Amino acid sequence: MPSTDLGGISLEQYRRFFAEEIRTVAHIESAALVDAFARVPRENFLGPPPWHLNAGPSIKQPVYWATMEVRDIYHDVFIALKAAQLLNNGQPSLIARMIAALNLSAGKRVLHIGCGAGYYTAIMAEVVGSDGAVIAVEVDPDLATQAAANLLAYPQAVVLHSDGAQVQDRK
């Protein structure tokens, strides 16, 4: 069970600080994207704790450390989804830069290949809103199933279990 002692700071405050950290580190100018990082509960997309974190890219096998503290996941760290297969949640500042480059806004459509457990798909779904659409593709069957379950609150997001190279427009 994750720690509920957040040092007198609410989880919403942690999320907002995290979003502001990502805004600064990744130089994100989109207020909608920053707000999405503040709203989407990352812990809901990572499976149960302990969570295994790493702070940065490496040319060798990542060295993870475990935490039960929900506040620890609200930093610019990537978190293992399947450590043995090197599948992780992605480093927020890096992924935020890529999402920002898409210039998403309300009503837009986006294809997210390699959605993992759906966290960044949810971020994009928040930005495009209910009039937009996010098609998320994941080749790993377990992660595709997890992403579909995690994204139930986002009707504008659809998860496909597929190889991204095999996805065709479904107009």
Side-chain angles (χ1 to χ4, degrees):
M1 163 114 12
S3 172
T4 56
D5 177 15
L6 299 175
I9 299 171
S10 73
L11 197 48
E12 290 74 24
Q13 289 170 312
Y14 267 103
R15 286 189 194 115
R16 175 49 66 183
F17 185 85
F18 170 68
E20 292 300 324
E21 176 184 17
I22 298 308
R23 181 188 61 76
T24 301
V25 171
H27 189 67
I28 303 302
E29 296 179 359
S30 166
L33 181 54
V34 174
D35 288 345
F37 271 94
R39 284 192 303 270
V40 176
R42 193 176 190 196
E43 65 276 13
N44 291 354
F45 294 84
L46 303 174
W51 297 294
H52 296 87
L53 309 121
N54 188 291
S58 174
I59 59 171
K60 55 185 177 179
Q61 181 78 16
V63 177
Y64 296 99
W65 65 92
T67 186
M68 297 291 286
E69 302 285 339
V70 70
R71 64 185 173 193
D72 291 343
I73 66 172
Y74 286 104
H75 291 282
D76 193 22
V77 296
F78 63 86
I79 301 166
L81 298 174
K82 291 186 165 188
Q85 291 143 301
L86 299 177
L87 298 175
N88 61 67
N89 177 249
Q91 190 160 18
S93 61
L94 174 64
I95 306 298
R97 282 184 191 101
M98 290 188 257
I99 295 171
L102 298 172
N103 292 315
L104 296 177
S105 59
K108 297 277 182 131
R109 294 175 55 199
V110 64
L111 174 64
H112 183 195
I113 298 176
C115 73
Y119 175 65
Y120 296 107
T121 308
I123 298 283
M124 289 185 271
E126 285 277 340
V127 175
V128 301
S130 59
D131 290 334
V134 183
I135 306 299
V137 181
E138 178 54 53
V139 71
D140 182 279
D142 299 330
L143 290 178
T145 299
Q146 185 179 355
N150 290 342
L151 291 163
L152 287 174
Y154 300 91
Q156 69 273 42
V158 174
V159 178
L160 305 175
H161 169 229
S162 182
D163 179 330
Q166 305 301 315
V167 176
Q168 297 180 7
D169 192 359
R170 297 176 180 222
K171 284 188 192 179

